[in-house]
């Protein structure tokens, strides 16, 4: 409990620091959002002043941030410059992005760890070489190239997956985008698992367990793999937040109405409150996942919790 409390307390200043930086960077962008909202239509100075006062754009940055945090602590993500509640604008989109990110994360975990274990156990063999070559190729290719290639080959030419939209629901509409979103991280998980497991298989405690007559499957599963998963769990925890944020490109390619698409459209329209609200929730998810990862450290290696 003390270990968990320490990690929770450490997350508090991280939350306030990151939200302040996000708020400052978004509202430091050039241009007037009220003028952008009006477009080519003329707007009087009185109307402009009234709208700027309504949305506190004339206040100092620290005052704007304080008002935003006061509303956030009450569960209010604020209003867009069109008068809509940010929470209402994002409500129908979280499910799409969450399903996409979870699909990619599960594929990354299952396939990545499996490939890494196979490569480590067959180090120097055909399987190891194939995994290293394949992951190097995936890492070298930009995700939008992978996305369009998968959409054309697997979607249009072979007809194995839908090419756009969410009409088929989960998992049909999310498998192909999930594979594309997971491809880059999956390659890293496979290589990280391979390296970590191969190193632990040469450790003294593995040789000792083998010499005592313990079955190889038990040595690998209970001892070597368990210790090897610590860096993998670290990467997977951090990467879940990256998958949520990195869905912008994938959602654009496959026309998925998720948070990434909304953030991209809001940046184009200079809708700062919507961008800040969406990214703030992503930050909270990121911090929560990393807190869970920190707690898993204590499960995988009790020495960390006692440190």
């Amino acid at each position: 409990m003390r270990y968990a409390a320490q990690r929770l307390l450490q997350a508090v200043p991280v939350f306030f620091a990151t939200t302040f930086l996000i708020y400052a960077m978004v509202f430091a962008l050039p241009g007037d959002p009220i003028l952008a909202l009006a477009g080519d239509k003329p707007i009087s100075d009185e109307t402009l002043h009234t709208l700027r006062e309504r949305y506190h754009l004339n206040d100092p940055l620290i005052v704007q941030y304080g008002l935003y945090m006061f509303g956030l602590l009450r569960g209010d993500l604020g209003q867009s410059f069109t008068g809509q509640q940010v929470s209402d604008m994002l409500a129908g989109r979280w499910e799409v992005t969450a399903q996409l990110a979870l699909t990619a994360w599960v594929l990354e975990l299952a396939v990545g760890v499996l490939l890494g274990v196979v490569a480590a156990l067959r180090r120097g063999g055909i399987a190891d070489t194939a995994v290293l070559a394949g992951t190097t190729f995936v890492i070298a290719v930009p995700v939008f190239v992978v996305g369009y290639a998968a959409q054309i080959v697997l979607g249009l030419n072979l007809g194995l997956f839908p090419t756009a939209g969410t009409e088929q629901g989960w998992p049909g509409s999310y498998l192909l985008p999930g594979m594309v979103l997971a491809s880059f991280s999956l390659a890293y998980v496979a290589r990280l698992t391979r390296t970590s497991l191969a190193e632990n298989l040469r450790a003294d405690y593995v040789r000792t367990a083998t010499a005592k007559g313990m079955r190889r499957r038990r040595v690998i599963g209970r001892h070597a793999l368990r210790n090897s998963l610590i860096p993998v769990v670290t990467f997977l925890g951090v990467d879940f937040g990256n998958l949520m944020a990195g869905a912008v490109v994938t959602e654009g390619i496959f026309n998925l109405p998720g948070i990434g698409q909304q953030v991209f459209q809001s940046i184009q329209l200079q809708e700062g409150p919507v961008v800040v609200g969406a990214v703030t929730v992503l930050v909270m998810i990121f911090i929560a996942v990393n807190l869970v990862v920190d707690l898993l450290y204590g499960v995988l290696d009790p020495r960390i919790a006692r440190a």
Side-chain angles (χ1 to χ4, degrees), residues 127-214:
D128 185 26
T129 304
V131 169
L132 290 177
T135 53
T136 301
F137 175 78
V138 171
I139 292 171
V141 179
V143 67
F144 63 87
V145 175
V146 176
Y148 283 120
Q151 191 177 47
I152 293 171
V153 176
L154 299 178
L156 291 176
N157 295 345
L158 299 178
L160 299 177
F161 303 96
T163 57
T166 59
E167 289 79 8
Q168 294 189 15
W170 191 91
S173 297
Y174 294 89
L175 280 177
L176 186 58
M179 287 189 288
V180 171
L181 182 60
S183 58
F184 189 81
S185 299
L186 187 152
Y188 271 109
V189 170
R191 297 176 73 94
L192 184 61
T193 304
R194 172 195 177 273
T195 302
S196 182
L197 182 57
E199 181 180 348
N200 278 289
L201 288 174
R202 297 194 300 268
D204 291 338
Y205 71 89
V206 172
R207 286 196 292 267
T208 301
T210 304
K212 291 169 64 176
M214 188 176 294

Side-chain angles (χ1 to χ4, degrees), residues 96-107:
V96 175
T97 299
Q99 287 181 338
L100 176 61
L102 283 172
T103 302
W105 193 80
V106 170
L107 290 172

Side-chain angles (χ1 to χ4, degrees), residues 182-286:
S183 58
F184 189 81
S185 299
L186 187 152
Y188 271 109
V189 170
R191 297 176 73 94
L192 184 61
T193 304
R194 172 195 177 273
T195 302
S196 182
L197 182 57
E199 181 180 348
N200 278 289
L201 288 174
R202 297 194 300 268
D204 291 338
Y205 71 89
V206 172
R207 286 196 292 267
T208 301
T210 304
K212 291 169 64 176
M214 188 176 294
R215 289 181 299 175
R216 180 169 174 79
R217 179 179 299 179
R218 184 176 176 85
V219 171
I220 294 173
R222 183 170 181 176
H223 298 286
L225 184 59
R226 180 175 178 176
N227 289 330
S228 302
L229 285 179
I230 293 177
V232 178
V233 168
T234 303
F235 180 84
L236 288 170
V238 173
D239 196 56
F240 184 78
N242 293 335
L243 291 174
M244 294 282 289
V248 176
V249 176
T250 309
E251 289 179 0
I253 294 173
F254 293 94
N255 194 28
L256 300 176
I259 294 298
Q261 187 184 78
Q262 179 67 67
V263 169
F264 181 73
Q265 294 173 352
S266 299
I267 291 173
Q268 290 181 313
L269 298 174
Q270 295 188 15
E271 280 282 5
V274 181
V275 177
V276 171
V279 177
T280 297
V281 178
L282 290 175
V283 167
M284 290 191 288
I285 293 173
F286 190 88

